[in-house]
Amino acid sequence: MSKVLILMGSPRENGNTDLLVRAFAEGANKHHETEILSVAKMEIRPCTGCNGCFQREDRRCVQRDDMTVVYEKLREADVLVIASPVYFYGVSAQLKAVIDRLHTPARDAFSVRGLALLLVGAATLPELFDAIEAQYRLVLNYFRLKDFGRVLVRGVKEKGEIKATDALAKARALGESLPESRERTETEKESKGDIAKDLKEFLAIMDSGEEVSGGSEAHLFMHGLSQEALRLTAELNNAYREPEEIRAIMTKLTGRPIDGSFAMFPPFYTDCGKNIHFGKNVFVNSGCRFQDQGGIYIGDDVLIGHNAVLATLNHNADPAKRANLIPAPIRIGDKAWLGANVTILPGVTVGEGAVIAAGSVVTKDVPAGATVAGVPAKRIK
């Protein structure tokens, strides 16, 4: 039996949204366990954008309000349902605050596997639901959820008017159609936390610069990360993405908040992602490839041209140990400019304001303000 969590964003009891939610729950209760949280009646403060959740060891929001209840419910739910009236082309302010607070690294502990959407709007405009559906798609992508369906009701103005439509029957049918899922074991519930712990240990090993033996636990864990990175970069590269979508995917890929000033032209490729560190006002042009296991640190106001390759891993020169990996970080200083088709090798630091000419292969540190060119790159001014 699945657990279905319904976040009800309407502040009106027995209103049209409330009736829609009850109909959905009636259908879902035939095969699942449902719970309705009336978030409009809970004390949930807006996100402050402090990014404290990304800095805390427990990865939790620094605010202590009723959102902690929502977080706990999300750790048990299989299906999440978002229900709201339409207020100026968006969900209610109370529900929007909840959605904003879901941007947290603690999401890795959520058990939700699918999402459904219930909306009621008084207007009949064709574009009535466009903004909400766009955000809904972003939530689906951000949490990698299956879309279980939507019930969108236009032109319902008066309280209880929804009863005269077929919307309640559609909501009931959608609730009944939710797929059954097996019970999660305790091991499954804890697995995401174990992964987070292993990731921290893995990054500590890579940041130490010590040689990693082929076939070791760290090496095998790295292969697991590569599959996640390949999936996310395929998601990034397979269609046109709005700048906000790109930043959302890059946040998932790196596991760190991406500043609103960050810009990228896909495609972009990496086989890890979890050791990339972007500053502010960074632009990455199309076709770049980051091998970041050893750590890539990019400062503020950095420009990176087409098809740049940043590689932080070397192999042992001994053929008998060729599978061993030797990590070394790449550091790009503030205001540096990497031209098209540049390759930066492991352990290189590019100084502040430096320029790397197109086609260069950088094997040694570049001083601040210098311009280098060639293979291997040499200072030209």
Side-chain angles (χ1 to χ4, degrees):
M1 177 181 290
S2 297
K3 292 186 177 181
V4 181
L5 177 64
I6 305 172
L7 301 181
M8 225 285 274
S10 174
R12 303 179 66 189
E13 290 186 13
N14 300 314
N16 291 308
T17 304
D18 193 11
L19 294 172
L20 193 67
V21 165
R22 292 185 195 179
F24 177 91
E26 182 183 336
N29 278 329
K30 293 185 176 181
H31 305 291
H32 310 286
E33 176 186 341
T34 65
E35 182 172 4
I36 302 171
L37 285 184
S38 295
V39 297
K41 299 178 182 179
M42 300 171 71
E43 183 189 349
I44 297 177
R45 295 187 288 273
C47 177
T48 64
C50 69
N51 286 328
C53 56
F54 285 89
Q55 299 165 13
R56 290 170 58 97
E57 187 173 348
D58 62 8
R59 317 296 274 176
R60 302 231 177 155
C61 181
V62 299
Q63 300 193 69
R64 285 295 175 259
D65 55 13
D66 289 342
M67 192 63 194
T68 58
V69 176
V70 179
Y71 290 143
E72 291 304 318
K73 300 296 183 183
L74 287 170
R75 289 183 178 87
E76 297 297 329
D78 296 285
V79 179
L80 177 63
V81 181
I82 296 175
S84 177
V86 180
Y87 291 170
F88 199 73
Y89 302 95
V91 298
S92 68
Q94 297 93 331
L95 183 55
K96 180 61 166 59
V98 174
I99 294 173
D100 288 345
R101 295 276 293 278
L102 295 181
H103 175 63
T104 165
R107 67 185 181 273
D108 291 335
F110 298 164
S111 297
V112 176
R113 300 172 182 175
L115 188 66
L117 180 66
L118 307 176
L119 292 175
V120 178
T124 59
L125 299 171
E127 67 271 22
L128 179 64
F129 302 121
D130 288 354
I132 300 177
E133 288 196 281
Q135 185 168 43
Y136 178 74
R137 289 193 296 271
L138 288 172
V139 173
L140 286 170
N141 290 335
Y142 186 66
F143 288 99
R144 306 187 295 277
L145 301 177
K146 178 178 176 59
D147 183 0
F148 283 143
R150 314 169 196 185
V151 177
L152 313 178
V153 188
R154 288 185 174 87
V156 177
K157 300 179 180 179
E158 302 300 326
K159 188 173 183 179
E161 188 177 348
I162 196 171
K163 294 178 182 179
T165 72
D166 62 353
L168 299 184
K170 289 182 178 179
R172 196 174 294 109
L174 179 58
E176 290 184 28
S177 71
L178 294 178
E180 296 187 45
S181 65
R182 58 187 172 82
E183 290 286 339
R184 296 187 304 278
T185 65
E186 289 303 314
T187 300
E188 288 176 304
K189 290 178 183 179
E190 296 171 358
S191 64
K192 291 186 177 180
D194 292 341
I195 290 173
K197 179 181 178 183
D198 289 345
L199 176 60
K200 184 176 181 179
E201 292 177 355
F202 169 78
L203 292 177
I205 292 170
M206 302 307 286
D207 290 343
S208 73
E210 296 180 5
E211 186 168 334
V212 176
S213 298
S216 65
E217 288 187 10
H219 193 200
L220 295 175
F221 185 79
M222 183 183 71
H223 282 294
L225 289 180
S226 70
Q227 297 308 303
E228 172 75 357
L230 292 173
R231 186 188 63 77
L232 286 170
T233 51
E235 181 181 323
L236 174 69
N237 299 331
N238 70 359
Y240 170 73
R241 302 292 179 186
E242 297 282 352
E244 293 80 6
E245 292 181 284
I246 292 174
R247 286 191 286 271
I249 294 173
M250 291 302 293
T251 294
K252 288 191 290 186
L253 181 63
T254 63
R256 298 177 177 84
I258 299 296
D259 190 79
S261 61
F262 175 85
M264 171 184 285
F265 289 170
F268 172 79
Y269 304 95
T270 179
D271 55 359
C272 181
K274 293 298 186 288
N275 214 2
I276 302 175
H277 308 258
F278 288 112
K280 297 180 179 179
N281 199 34
V282 172
F283 173 66
V284 180
N285 219 322
S286 62
C288 291
R289 290 165 167 80
F290 287 11
Q291 182 197 53
D292 63 285
Q293 289 88 340
I296 294 176
Y297 300 84
I298 298 173
D300 298 338
D301 305 304
V302 171
L303 298 178
I304 300 179
H306 296 85
N307 304 317
V309 176
L310 277 63
T312 64
L313 291 180
N314 243 323
H315 288 278
N316 194 305
D318 183 350
K321 300 179 180 179
R322 190 61 52 82
N324 292 4
L325 301 171
I326 306 170
I330 290 173
R331 303 182 188 276
I332 310 297
D334 296 346
K335 297 181 174 61
W337 174 19
L338 278 58
N341 297 300
V342 161
T343 298
I344 309 290
L345 295 187
V348 168
T349 294
V350 176
E352 180 177 352
V355 177
I356 313 299
S360 299
V361 177
V362 185
T363 61
K364 299 179 180 180
D365 290 353
V366 178
T371 298
V372 300
V375 181
K378 297 181 180 180
R379 189 168 183 170
I380 59 175
K381 66 176 181 180

